[in-house]
Every structure is written in C-alpha cells, then in structure tokens.
Amino acid sequence: MESGLAGKVVLITGASSGIGEALAREVARRGGRSVLAARRTERLEALAAEVRASGGEAIAVQCDVTRDGDVERAVEEARKAFGGLDIAVANAGFGVAGRVEELSLDDFRRQLETNVFGALRTVKAALPELKRSRGGVALMGSASGYLAFPGMGAYSMSKFAVRALAETLRGELHADGVAVTHVAPGFVASEIRRIDNLGTLRDDAREPVPPWLVMPTPKAARQIMDAIAARRAEAIITGHAKLGVSLARHAPGLLNAAFSRLGGRSRGVRR
C-alpha cells in the first residue's frame, strides 16, 4: 500500500463515472476513506459497495454541485461517518462545445455553473474541515485551461477560471497549511465526450478521439493521487497535455497560428 493516504478521508465530487470513479478506487487502494458525491445515486451506491467489498471504506452521498447546500451536506456526512475531512477533490464537470456565435448565453451560464461555481461551492463547503486537518484541495482543471481551442470557448473559459481559482487559493491558504493542487488532464477515458451541451449522456455518441491518444482512467487516477498525496501545486496528466501546456507557455504564437487555421471548421473536442 502506498503511503500518504492511509486513513485519510477524501471527498470526491463527480464520483459516479470517469476520473472520479477511478479516483474512488485509487483512494481505497491506498487505504483512504472516500465520500463519493454525484447526482446518479445508483452508480454511487454500486461503487461504494464495490469499495467496501474490497476491504475499503466509502459512503455515497447524492450531490449536485450546482445546488447550494448539497456539498455542505456531503461534508456533514463525512463528519458523521469518518469524523472529518482531509482532502476535497472538486472533480464534477462537463463540457459545452460550439462556436461562441452559435452558443446561447444560457449555454455559457450552464457551463460556468457546473465547472466554476461547482468547484467554488466544493471549496467553500470543505474549507472549515480542511483547515482543521491542514489537508488539501484538488481542483480538476484541464489542458483546455491553458489552450483555448476553437469550438471550445465555453469549456476553456471555465477551465481557465478553475486554474485562476487554484492559483488564488494557493496563496490564500498557505498560512492555514492547506495544500492546493491544480489537475490538468488531457484526453482521459471518460464519458465527458459523450455528454451533450445540456449535460445529458448520449450513449450512442461516438468517441471522437483516437484510442492511442486516450489515457486509461486507472493510470490517470494514480498520477492524480500521487500529486495530491505529495501536496504538489500542479499535475498535468497525459503526454499530449504536457506538450500542449509547454507550447502555450513558451510558443504561444505557434499555437495561435495553428488555431487560426482550425478556427473555420473546428467544433471542439472535450478533454
């Protein structure tokens, strides 16, 4: 069992699928205790039961990060079940795709409400417990928080904002002993690219990203939990994300030229 997480209580939002689901299994593998929060209760309960059957500890809490009070209730359940909270992972999110001129203002509001305000609600609900435990918070960003792809303006706006929130919190919480980790994945196996602009899963939607470019969720979860356990400031997940972020930092002109060529035909692909 790897060190750094044994006995720790970890809240994971968006835990019913994808990265969140894989993180729940990884927390259990490392001896942590999970509070699994998401909207889809049946999936959550099945995942919590799987974790317990493997010898781990987990509870499931129905939670919609777009509703005031839901994350607070999840934190309260963590207190009741495990006595407190050590780590909060603000993972819940989805992606709105489309050109800015084609999207409605409601599309942008829906995107920001989940990805930005959902993360903010998670942070504000968890902070009192995290300050007591001198724990950590992880914010799930994206490579799109550095790279504003044509056709993904709403999603990129939300992930740029998540990165700004992480950087702000890192300075504000340093004296309280709370670590802040910004996680920026590239393409990881998940349902996000099969969820439409209304947040509805489309089972018949095809995967637009070639398989060789998609990292398996267990591998991504291991890398993410390594970063959180080590209290690292940032974790960029997947090789192509590291390349893209490096280009954004050191060769923005090259990226701008490439994106300008794509702009006329791209409709965007979620990370």
Side-chain angles (χ1 to χ4, degrees):
M1 184 179 297
E2 297 176 46
S3 61
L5 213 60
K8 299 291 186 182
V9 181
V10 184
L11 168 67
I12 305 169
T13 67
S16 60
S17 67
I19 291 175
E21 180 181 3
L23 287 174
R25 295 190 179 101
E26 184 65 18
V27 168
R29 190 179 72 84
R30 298 179 186 223
R33 299 177 285 177
S34 296
V35 180
L36 309 178
R39 295 176 299 171
R40 293 178 287 189
T41 310
E42 288 185 7
R43 284 195 180 194
L44 281 184
E45 294 287 1
L47 179 59
E50 175 193 322
V51 169
R52 291 191 292 265
S54 69
E57 296 181 73
I59 61 171
V61 184
Q62 186 177 40
C63 175
D64 185 341
V65 298
T66 68
R67 289 201 303 245
D68 293 343
D70 271 27
V71 190
E72 285 83 356
R73 183 165 49 81
V75 172
E76 179 59 28
E77 292 299 320
R79 279 194 293 263
K80 290 178 181 177
F82 302 126
L85 185 65
D86 298 292
I87 296 168
V89 184
N91 169 71
F94 80 110
V96 168
R99 294 166 61 89
V100 171
E101 65 181 335
E102 297 169 349
L103 296 176
S104 69
L105 291 179
D106 282 342
D107 288 325
F108 282 89
R109 290 189 183 100
R110 194 180 308 112
Q111 181 71 104
L112 298 178
E113 188 64 57
T114 299
N115 291 8
V116 180
F117 285 94
L120 184 58
R121 286 185 180 91
T122 303
V123 168
K124 292 180 74 65
L127 266 183
E129 288 297 324
L130 297 180
K131 285 183 176 182
R132 274 191 279 273
S133 63
R134 298 179 74 82
V137 59
L139 299 178
M140 191 63 62
S142 168
S144 294
Y146 298 85
L147 306 161
F149 290 97
M152 288 303 298
Y155 185 69
S156 291
M157 283 172 62
S158 74
K159 293 305 185 178
F160 268 75
V162 167
R163 179 161 64 95
L165 177 61
E167 292 182 3
T168 299
L169 289 170
R170 195 170 298 119
E172 292 182 353
L173 298 177
H174 177 75
D176 296 302
V178 178
V180 179
T181 301
H182 174 243
V183 182
F187 296 124
V188 174
S190 75
E191 294 177 345
I192 192 169
R193 290 175 294 277
R194 294 192 291 121
I195 295 175
D196 67 18
N197 286 358
L198 297 176
T200 302
L201 176 65
R202 300 296 183 185
D203 289 323
D204 58 345
R206 68 175 185 86
E207 169 61 78
V209 180
W212 60 268
L213 201 56
V214 178
M215 177 180 284
T217 48
K219 182 177 180 179
R222 287 194 298 272
Q223 293 183 12
I224 291 167
M225 290 313 305
D226 282 346
I228 295 171
R231 299 170 71 87
R232 282 166 41 197
E234 183 176 68
I236 300 172
I237 309 300
T238 74
H240 60 270
K242 290 176 182 177
L243 175 60
V245 171
S246 179
L247 288 172
R249 286 171 167 164
H250 304 296
L254 180 63
L255 281 182
N256 289 338
F259 290 165
S260 294
R261 290 178 175 272
L262 286 172
R265 58 182 182 274
S266 175
R267 300 193 63 83
V269 177
R270 306 160 181 87
R271 67 127 174 92

